[in-house]
């Protein structure tokens, strides 16, 4: 349905500015009209639903060559845990 927003308002999934004329789903339009945020312009208008065109599947691509690391990494040897030290009485 097409409505005219009288008072700016927003919800979880939408927001409307005063003096705009959106086309909304019937249940949303009815709620906004009942709450006093909008007035009815055209009850028969329906929102446009985007439909994507089907796409052709693409052929798998070959893996790319691995890139060289920017900094050479060398394996490190594991370190032994250190014994706790006694605090000094400063």
């Amino acid at each position: 349905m097409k409505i005219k927003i009288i008072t700016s308002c927003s919800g979880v999934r939408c927001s409307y500015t005063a003096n705009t004329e959106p086309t909304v789903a019937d249940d949303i339009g009815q709620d906004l009209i009942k709450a006093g945020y909008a007035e009815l312009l055209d009850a028969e208008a329906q929102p446009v639903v985007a439909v994507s065109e089907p796409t052709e599947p693409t052929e798998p691509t070959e893996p790319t060559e691995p890139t060289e690391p920017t900094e050479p990494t060398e394996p490190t040897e594991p370190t032994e845990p250190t014994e706790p030290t006694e605090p000094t009485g400063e």
Side-chain angles (χ1 to χ4, degrees), residues 7-44:
T7 304
S8 296
C9 55
S10 65
V12 176
R13 290 178 274 173
C14 57
S15 65
Y16 301 104
T17 306
N19 299 316
T20 58
E21 298 180 356
T23 302
V24 298
D26 291 344
D27 58 333
I28 293 174
Q30 290 168 359
D31 285 348
L32 292 171
I33 292 167
K34 184 176 179 183
Y37 291 111
E39 58 188 28
L40 178 64
L41 294 179
D42 181 1
E44 300 300 317

Side-chain angles (χ1 to χ4, degrees), residues 24-77:
V24 298
D26 291 344
D27 58 333
I28 293 174
Q30 290 168 359
D31 285 348
L32 292 171
I33 292 167
K34 184 176 179 183
Y37 291 111
E39 58 188 28
L40 178 64
L41 294 179
D42 181 1
E44 300 300 317
Q46 293 299 311
V48 176
V49 178
V51 177
S52 63
E53 294 292 321
T55 58
E56 294 295 321
T58 58
E59 293 295 321
T61 59
E62 293 296 320
T64 59
E65 293 296 318
T67 58
E68 294 296 320
T70 55
E71 295 179 18
T73 57
E74 295 179 12
T76 59
E77 293 185 26

